[in-house]
Amino acid sequence: MNAPDATQRDLRTFFEAFNSGDDTDVSAGADLFYEHFLSLDPNTVTMVTREQLRFVLPMRAKMFASIGASGPRLRDLQARYLDDQHVVVATTWDVHFEDEAARPLALRSTYLLRLVDGQWQVVVYINHQDIGNVIAERRAQMSS
């Protein structure tokens, strides 16, 4: 079951809110996550609390800033409804650099959202790349 166009727009708004926090509250996106959620990347599977995420988001912002990048911006999403309460959303995010000549990094993530009290919340978050490795590779490119 694919998402209708109106719902696609709602989901886009949901994910754009993840990065809408200003410099004083980069952790605001944590509110979009369920109290406990599963976080996966190519190396780990971890149960995370919303409060842990709230703590980590400013550190992630600093990691991106350390390579002259701003936080990821949503480029694309594809949604597939599983039932009335669950949707899987595949996303592509672009990380832009202060150096306008630098090609943006494309990051892919997949989310399982659950409808809780009329609001979508992330219950599973899959990073398809190891963000630490992506940052390290970019640093290496900058120093060569």
Side-chain angles (χ1 to χ4, degrees):
M1 203 169 22
N2 289 326
D5 289 342
T7 305
Q8 284 279 110
R9 284 190 298 276
D10 292 343
L11 290 172
R12 178 169 283 282
T13 300
F14 174 87
F15 283 103
E16 287 172 346
F18 184 72
N19 286 321
S20 66
D22 59 25
D23 291 337
T24 60
D25 190 13
V26 294
S27 63
D31 295 334
L32 303 175
F33 287 72
Y34 194 70
E35 183 179 345
H36 295 87
F37 64 95
L38 193 59
S39 177
L40 298 87
D41 68 24
N43 305 309
T44 62
V45 176
T46 309
M47 189 59 117
V48 180
T49 68
R50 185 183 305 137
E51 290 311 308
Q52 288 170 321
L53 179 62
R54 194 176 311 283
F55 178 76
V56 168
L57 286 175
M59 291 187 291
R60 178 181 161 157
K62 286 179 184 175
M63 284 175 49
F64 281 116
S66 76
I67 59 169
S70 58
R73 293 186 195 116
L74 183 64
R75 179 197 321 163
D76 187 42
L77 66 81
Q78 298 295 320
R80 183 170 188 280
Y81 279 80
L82 303 177
D83 56 37
D84 291 345
Q85 286 187 288
H86 301 94
V87 61
V88 174
V89 183
T91 62
T92 304
W93 303 81
D94 286 331
V95 177
H96 294 272
F97 296 96
E98 293 167 359
D99 175 2
E100 293 180 14
R103 199 168 116 225
L105 289 173
L107 302 176
R108 293 182 318 107
S109 302
T110 301
Y111 303 80
L112 174 60
L113 305 181
R114 179 181 177 94
L115 200 55
V116 178
D117 297 327
Q119 302 292 320
W120 291 114
Q121 291 192 324
V122 176
V123 293
V124 177
Y125 174 39
I126 304 170
N127 275 309
H128 296 283
Q129 298 102 335
D130 179 319
I131 301 299
N133 284 346
V134 169
I135 301 286
E137 288 172 9
R138 178 65 185 176
R139 266 196 206 110
Q141 291 172 358
M142 291 169 59
S143 64
S144 30

